[in-house]
Amino acid sequence: MTFIPSTHPRAKSLYIRERLVLAFDKGLVAKEGLMAHGRGEAFDYLIGERTSEAARKAIRAAAMMLMAAQRPVISVNGNIAGLCPKEMVELAFVSGAKIEINLFYGTRKRRQEIAKVLKKNGAKEILGIKKKDAAKLSGLDSARRVVDKNGIFAADVVVVPLEDGDRTLALKRAGKKVITFDLNPLSRTAQTADITIVDNVVRAIGELIKECKKNRPVKKFDNKKNLASTILEIKSNLTRRARLA
Ligand code: PTJ
């Protein structure tokens, strides 16, 4: 591996990758989660590995939506349990949201490992693990159609970091407001969610927690416009790089 000084932005992304690989070795992350991470890294590179102004706007809007929600739920998958379990527990605490484990490639073993990690990081109640509380989201084939009747099924606002497009659509059809973190502004999830934070979840989550604590109103937020400005920013990053090349 090429030597990268720890002050270089790439050092951070290598550290994030290492965390995910360690979590994979511990049985938290699905094989497909490693690929999803690789796709994320490519987009992170395109957005300049930093939190853009558009992402900050989305974070403020997300905080307002979460704080105003009646029954907010944070959906945790393998990648999230590997990358930022402590922060997700803190977000649940400050926003009053419930935590639900909801997996695309679900196995009992992985679910248990994820629950262990969340508990270790302070989670008191974890939904999505008791069979008797299972309910089904209509219009889906994957394991993700199974949700907790006291969690996502009853939620008004759902935070779904790194989500697949079909389920985001199913959540929308079920009348939920959806907040997502997705580094790919073109993904179906990014395009379907009510609020898309186009940033690395590892970078953005702390900002979201801070904004929830401030609990301040946001005048207007237009997800489509915000995504368009992110895409334009990627374009101008590329143009700048091409000139420097
Ligand atoms: O643990 P499971 O079984 O629930 O599976 C989780 C994965 C992530 C494998 C599953 O949800 C999946 O296949 O997701 P997708 O459809 O690949 O979508 C993942 C999206 O997240 C992609 O658009 C990636 O660019 C993006 N992404 C990857 N890493 C990050 C990210 N976005 C924000 N922060 C990241 N660190």
Side-chain angles (χ1 to χ4, degrees):
M1 198 195 292
T2 12
F3 173 73
I4 296 179
S6 60
T7 46
H8 192 281
R10 288 290 296 155
K12 184 81 175 163
S13 75
L14 290 179
Y15 162 78
I16 298 172
R17 185 191 295 172
E18 266 327 291
R19 269 195 85 148
L20 198 83
V21 170
L22 275 177
F24 173 78
D25 289 341
K26 283 188 195 153
L28 294 170
V29 174
K31 280 189 278 214
E32 293 81 356
L34 297 175
M35 295 181 214
H37 189 79
R39 276 199 299 287
E41 279 186 350
F43 280 100
D44 207 0
Y45 191 66
L46 293 178
I47 65 167
E49 294 174 312
R50 63 183 178 82
T51 305
S52 66
E53 194 38 52
R56 289 188 196 283
K57 265 193 197 160
I59 289 169
R60 290 195 286 271
M64 192 179 87
M65 185 180 274
L66 255 179
M67 297 308 282
Q70 301 293 309
R71 295 173 305 281
V73 173
I74 300 168
S75 177
V76 172
N77 64 20
N79 288 47
I80 290 301
L83 291 176
C84 46
K86 186 169 174 281
E87 292 80 357
M88 284 298 159
V89 173
E90 191 178 353
L91 179 65
F93 181 73
V94 298
S95 65
K98 290 182 177 175
I99 296 179
E100 176 167 340
I101 300 174
N102 199 269
L103 305 180
F104 191 88
Y105 305 98
T107 65
R108 213 170 110 80
K109 175 99 185 74
R110 203 149 67 81
R111 216 174 280 277
Q112 281 168 350
E113 291 303 321
I114 293 171
K116 254 194 242 166
V117 165
L118 290 169
K119 277 192 192 138
K120 212 172 132 194
N121 283 282
K124 298 278 179 274
E125 187 192 20
I126 301 166
L127 303 176
I129 34 186
K130 288 186 192 143
K131 262 196 174 159
K132 71 171 181 51
D133 292 332
K136 280 183 187 153
L137 275 181
S138 56
L140 275 180
D141 293 330
S142 73
R144 271 191 172 168
R145 73 181 183 279
V146 182
V147 291
D148 196 300
K149 70 171 193 236
N150 304 307
I152 291 175
F153 194 74
D156 54 348
V157 174
V158 193
V159 182
V160 283
L162 282 71
E163 182 59 276
D164 89 290
D166 286 345
R167 204 170 74 122
T168 307
L169 266 170
L171 290 170
K172 286 300 302 162
R173 280 198 207 108
K176 322 280 177 201
K177 293 269 182 218
V178 176
I179 298 170
T180 191
F181 293 85
D182 195 329
L183 277 160
N184 178 1
L186 301 167
S187 80
R188 272 193 310 142
T189 289
Q191 297 281 335
T192 314
D194 295 277
I195 300 178
T196 307
I197 302 167
V198 182
D199 195 7
N200 198 312
V201 64
V202 176
R203 260 193 319 267
I205 185 71
E207 292 303 310
L208 181 56
I209 293 168
K210 270 192 222 158
E211 283 299 329
C212 284
K213 286 181 182 162
K214 287 183 193 160
N215 196 9
R216 56 180 171 176
V218 173
K219 276 196 200 113
K220 231 169 77 186
F221 179 77
D222 182 332
N223 205 43
K224 291 267 181 243
K225 257 196 193 162
N226 211 48
L227 283 170
S229 77
T230 305
I231 294 164
L232 285 177
E233 199 173 327
I234 290 177
K235 197 174 155 205
S236 84
N237 283 349
L238 288 174
T239 314
R240 205 172 42 244
R241 296 299 287 268
R243 281 207 201 102
L244 290 176

